[in-house]
Amino acid sequence: MTTQAKIKTNPFRPCINLLLVAFAALSLTSCGQPPAEQAPAVAEAEPAVEPFKASRHGKPVVYQVFTRLFGNTNTSNQPWGTLEQNGVGKFNDFTDEALAGIKALGTSHIWYTGVPHHAVINDYTAYGISLDDPDVVKGRAGSPYAVKDYYSVNPDLAEDPANRLAEFKALVERTHKHDMQVLIDIVPNHVARDYQSLAKPAGLSDFGANDDSRVEYQRDNNFYYVPGQPFQVPAWPDSYKVLGGEPHPLADGRFSENPAKWTGNGARAAQPAFDDWYETVKINYGVRPDGSYDFDRLPADYADKDWQAHYQFWQGKDVPDSWQKFRDITLYWLNFGVDGFRYDMAEMVPVEFWSYLNSHIKQLNPDAFLLAEVYQPDLYRDYIKLGLMDYLYDKVEFYDSLKLVMQGKGPTSALVATQQRMGDIEQHMLHFLENHDEQRIASPEFAGDARKGMPAMVVSALISTSPTMLYFGQDVGEPGAENAGFGKPSRTSIFDYIGVPHHQRWMNDGKFDGGALSADEAALRDFYVRLMQFSATAPALMGDYFELHSANLASNSAYSEQQLAFARYTGPQQQNAQQLLVVSNFSSEQAAEFELIVPAELISQWQLSDGNYSLAGQLTDSMAELRVTNGVGQVNIALPPLGSVVYRVQYQE
């Protein structure tokens, strides 16, 4: 489902804005012995697995890959095609060559999207897995955000489904060998309608197993109920047919659930609408149906305390059952070897729960990478300071403004204003141009040309200390043009089996060398490699920011709202001192030529006296000159359409 659809309904929005609440927490207890296929359950009395330590020290770069699509070489691309017709990628497709190609993009973390076992329309009954009902599954391959078993992985992704956890474990180890960390999804707000964990460690119960379904709400119920009413599948619009109209024994317009549960987006009807998240059910975190909280308050000053203080606060306190279940899930995966999590729709879960969960995670692995999807800017600081999130999507502020600039519908001044508003938390705001929810840059619905992402990528990756995320196929201009089935073109489908053509040309039949790319695609890939390696290693990008846009817009007639200029730097006295000038031209039709003005304030901070200074291009071999006269700098800038330069101050002549 798209980001826009996600924002539409949030029944607990008033609760999220309430003051902090004090939760109660149980100390960790042993989960018992798992099946032989499983990694050991986490027990506080046992020593934790030593977390993997990456060697890098620069800006994080997250590579998001849709795991089932990455290694698929099938080019059939039939709408609603089966796994056999359209193919599917496997864990084993992430070979050493593939991982080296991902690492070449400066990647520090790979987010393997869609790993937890979610509902799929395939028959795995031979492995003890129940069939999933197409009436409550979106697409044929299923939504990765309708998780069916949190202690296992998608059997589609394994060469041998019986050995699927061991195959994923091997992928984690291969990823670590290439000096990258592993992230997976945790979807705390909802689970699949037919959640049933075959792989949970002994002593743990499934979501809903101990619920009192006679009542709408009870604090330790995992779900909300519609007492006395059975679930009804949505009324399908005329344009939609389950599985594209293909007969299926379970596609009968019925799904057994009595009483009905609230739907994942908070819809409370026994029959959710088609545009609701009908394939999922809402998790109860101790928030009453009227929006009030059913747990104690956390003192407000905990916004200024570290995770250790939060962890100590929860010890010995009583918390809702759902909190404990997700604590056990996340600690299990950390002990398995996973290095962090991307939290889906975190804002739909009370921020106080995150204090509890994330402090327990940090207790096990202080370096765990915690990334959350939050779309309401007025909540950003709460989820960072109170919820202990490391990073949040910078979607509504930076991405939305940048998208308008790329489309020629907005001024670059909006980016300057956004950067200023985010100044106090910018190191926590993850930047991106594509992800599985957003349209592909090259799609006609977005920009229609992958090259329009080049100046935007320079700005997005270099303007702040924020981490950067790339979506697989972005670096070769993937347009997301396929009609896969449930999803619509412009976004690579997350619901169906499909091939990803531009990405497949980079894969080059498993060689992962780009040998089948066109000249334009290869050039785009080379640009991304150079930019992202620089972004991941340049010391100045962890230093200070100085906006050059306002001064140049006010006093430079050739500089316009289609250009953006800024400086990034570390102080002259610091080790590895670095002073950078970054200038991008967003016009796809007009070259840009002007004298870039470097204000006296910045020249003073850089401790540059009057004279001439060589500037070395960091993404290309170009050279330029910074002329300082009466304490003000000037640089001749000549940019082609969609061009950028990154210059580093070298020395005084």
Side-chain angles (χ1 to χ4, degrees):
M1 62 195 75
T2 66
T3 302
Q4 289 77 15
K6 287 183 175 181
I7 296 172
K8 184 176 66 173
T9 306
N10 186 349
F12 293 144
R13 178 68 175 84
C15 314
I16 296 172
N17 287 327
L18 293 177
L19 292 174
L20 286 183
V21 234
F23 296 153
L26 296 175
S27 59
L28 293 176
T29 55
S30 175
C31 297
Q33 294 300 316
E37 188 187 52
Q38 306 289 329
V42 174
E44 205 168 39
E46 298 176 359
V49 170
E50 182 67 24
F52 168 71
K53 299 287 187 182
S55 62
R56 57 185 301 120
H57 300 287
K59 280 181 58 166
V61 176
V62 179
Y63 183 88
Q64 182 195 3
V65 56
F66 209 86
T67 313
R68 72 163 171 253
L69 302 182
F70 179 85
N72 183 20
T73 58
N74 190 307
T75 59
S76 298
N77 287 352
Q78 299 181 40
W80 293 100
T82 64
L83 183 152
E84 292 75 19
Q85 291 169 327
N86 283 357
V88 69
K90 304 288 185 180
F91 292 133
N92 289 353
D93 292 326
F94 291 88
T95 61
D96 286 329
E97 293 78 12
L99 291 168
I102 294 171
K103 179 70 174 178
L105 290 163
T107 303
S108 57
H109 298 76
I110 303 182
W111 166 17
Y112 290 106
T113 306
V115 165
H117 183 183
H118 58 81
V120 300
I121 307 303
N122 270 320
D123 187 347
Y124 290 108
T125 54
Y127 304 95
I129 300 170
S130 63
L131 292 173
D132 291 306
D133 190 326
D135 291 302
V136 289
V137 175
K138 288 182 176 175
R140 188 181 290 276
S143 168
Y145 299 106
V147 176
K148 177 175 178 168
D149 186 348
Y150 260 117
Y151 289 97
S152 191
V153 296
N154 183 357
D156 278 353
L157 303 177
E159 299 289 351
D160 177 6
N163 201 37
R164 57 195 182 277
L165 272 169
E167 290 187 28
F168 179 57
K169 180 72 170 179
L171 173 57
V172 171
E173 293 171 351
R174 284 198 304 280
T175 305
H176 288 168
K177 185 178 75 172
H178 285 266
D179 202 27
M180 294 179 287
Q181 298 186 351
V182 172
L183 311 179
I184 64 170
D185 295 280
I186 295 293
V187 189
N189 179 67
H190 48 272
V191 295
R193 284 221 172 257
D194 193 19
Y195 186 93
Q196 46 184 286
S197 176
L198 299 177
K200 63 183 179 296
L204 297 184
S205 60
D206 271 353
F207 287 98
N210 301 316
D211 281 7
D212 180 356
S213 62
R214 298 170 299 176
V215 296
E216 181 181 34
Y217 168 82
Q218 198 275 337
R219 194 202 73 158
D220 287 315
N221 278 356
N222 299 133
F223 303 129
Y224 300 90
Y225 294 90
V226 187
Q229 297 185 53
F231 173 80
Q232 299 178 61
V233 302
W236 309 127
D238 293 339
S239 60
Y240 176 73
K241 295 188 182 300
V242 174
L243 299 182
E246 177 185 316
H248 187 284
L250 295 180
D252 55 5
R254 298 191 300 265
F255 177 75
S256 179
E257 180 182 291
N258 192 11
K261 303 180 181 77
W262 286 17
T263 295
N265 63 326
R268 305 182 185 191
Q271 183 180 32
F274 178 63
D275 59 354
D276 286 325
W277 307 349
Y278 63 82
E279 79 280 21
T280 66
V281 290
K282 174 78 177 174
I283 296 289
N284 166 27
Y285 283 90
V287 180
R288 300 183 184 93
D290 65 4
S292 61
Y293 286 174
D294 201 359
F295 37 77
D296 296 331
R297 302 228 171 183
L298 180 72
D301 63 351
Y302 272 72
D304 301 318
K305 295 183 183 294
D306 58 21
W307 67 259
Q308 290 96 333
H310 283 246
Y311 178 80
Q312 288 301 322
F313 179 84
W314 300 121
Q315 300 310 298
K317 293 185 172 69
D318 179 36
V319 297
D321 184 73
S322 296
W323 295 24
Q324 300 170 55
K325 279 184 165 57
F326 272 101
R327 175 205 62 194
D328 292 340
I329 289 164
T330 54
L331 299 188
Y332 166 85
W333 285 111
L334 289 173
N335 217 40
F336 187 91
V338 167
D339 305 292
F341 306 104
R342 181 270 189 185
Y343 297 130
D344 184 78
M345 291 309 295
E347 68 187 51
M348 295 186 75
V349 177
V351 70
E352 300 80 8
F353 160 75
W354 295 112
S355 167
Y356 169 85
L357 181 70
N358 290 340
S359 63
H360 280 78
I361 288 172
K362 294 292 188 179
Q363 177 70 13
L364 183 61
N365 179 3
D367 297 320
F369 187 102
L370 306 177
L371 167 64
E373 185 183 29
V374 175
Y375 293 127
Q376 300 178 67
D378 61 321
L379 299 181
Y380 287 171
R381 288 160 183 80
D382 280 354
Y383 277 76
I384 292 167
K385 297 179 180 181
L386 303 173
L388 303 179
M389 298 298 182
D390 294 321
Y391 306 104
L392 306 181
Y393 275 27
D394 201 344
K395 185 259 188 291
V396 174
E397 288 278 3
F398 201 81
Y399 168 84
D400 283 353
S401 297
L402 189 53
K403 182 174 183 177
L404 292 175
V405 174
M406 296 166 67
Q407 294 173 323
K409 299 177 181 178
T412 50
S413 290
L415 303 174
V416 177
T418 295
Q419 181 65 15
Q420 183 176 10
R421 285 195 301 274
M422 295 291 104
D424 62 317
I425 57 170
E426 55 97 25
Q427 71 272 25
H428 297 286
M429 303 305 297
L430 176 125
H431 284 187
F432 61 86
L433 297 186
E434 290 187 356
N435 63 46
H436 69 278
D437 278 324
E438 305 299 339
Q439 294 170 322
R440 292 285 195 175
I441 298 166
S443 68
E445 295 83 355
F446 187 161
D449 185 344
R451 294 175 301 170
K452 291 184 178 180
M454 295 171 69
M457 200 68 228
V458 169
V459 170
S460 182
L462 305 186
I463 198 170
S464 74
T465 60
S466 65
T468 302
M469 184 168 74
L470 301 176
Y471 192 34
F472 86 112
Q474 178 182 344
D475 56 309
V476 292
E478 179 59 44
E482 287 64 47
N483 178 13
F486 189 89
K488 295 180 180 179
S490 81
R491 297 173 178 86
T492 298
S493 175
I494 69 169
F495 303 111
D496 288 287
Y497 302 109
I498 201 73
V500 185
H502 288 55
H503 169 72
Q504 287 174 326
R505 291 197 283 276
W506 173 71
M507 286 170 54
N508 194 20
D509 200 27
K511 298 183 182 69
F512 298 98
D513 61 2
L517 292 172
S518 70
D520 287 345
E521 292 162 354
L524 185 65
R525 163 83 182 179
D526 177 67
F527 162 80
Y528 271 92
V529 168
R530 286 183 285 112
L531 173 62
M532 298 315 302
Q533 287 186 356
F534 178 74
S535 171
T537 57
L541 301 181
M542 296 303 291
D544 293 320
Y545 159 82
F546 192 101
E547 69 102 346
L548 303 174
H549 182 73
S550 300
N552 282 275
L553 198 61
S555 58
N556 194 329
S557 60
Y559 182 96
S560 75
E561 287 285 11
Q562 290 190 300
Q563 286 83 51
L564 187 69
F566 56 88
R568 298 298 313 281
Y569 59 98
T570 53
Q573 292 82 21
Q574 296 183 31
Q575 188 177 12
N576 298 322
Q578 194 178 60
Q579 294 85 39
L580 303 176
L581 297 172
V582 182
V583 191
S584 288
N585 179 21
F586 284 87
S587 174
S588 60
E589 299 177 355
Q590 300 294 324
E593 295 188 23
F594 52 87
E595 287 284 331
L596 179 74
I597 297 169
V598 184
E601 180 183 352
L602 182 60
I603 294 296
S604 175
Q605 290 184 31
W606 286 0
Q607 299 181 12
L608 300 180
S609 56
D610 285 3
N612 297 331
Y613 298 81
S614 293
L615 301 175
Q618 301 300 285
L619 302 182
T620 65
D621 292 332
S622 61
M623 297 291 293
E625 185 177 68
L626 168 63
R627 305 181 305 279
V628 180
T629 305
N630 296 324
V632 176
Q634 287 185 305
V635 182
N636 290 327
I637 298 292
L639 295 175
L642 303 176
S644 298
V645 291
V646 180
Y647 287 133
R648 179 179 179 179
V649 179
Q650 292 291 89
Y651 56 87
Q652 186 173 9
E653 294 181 352

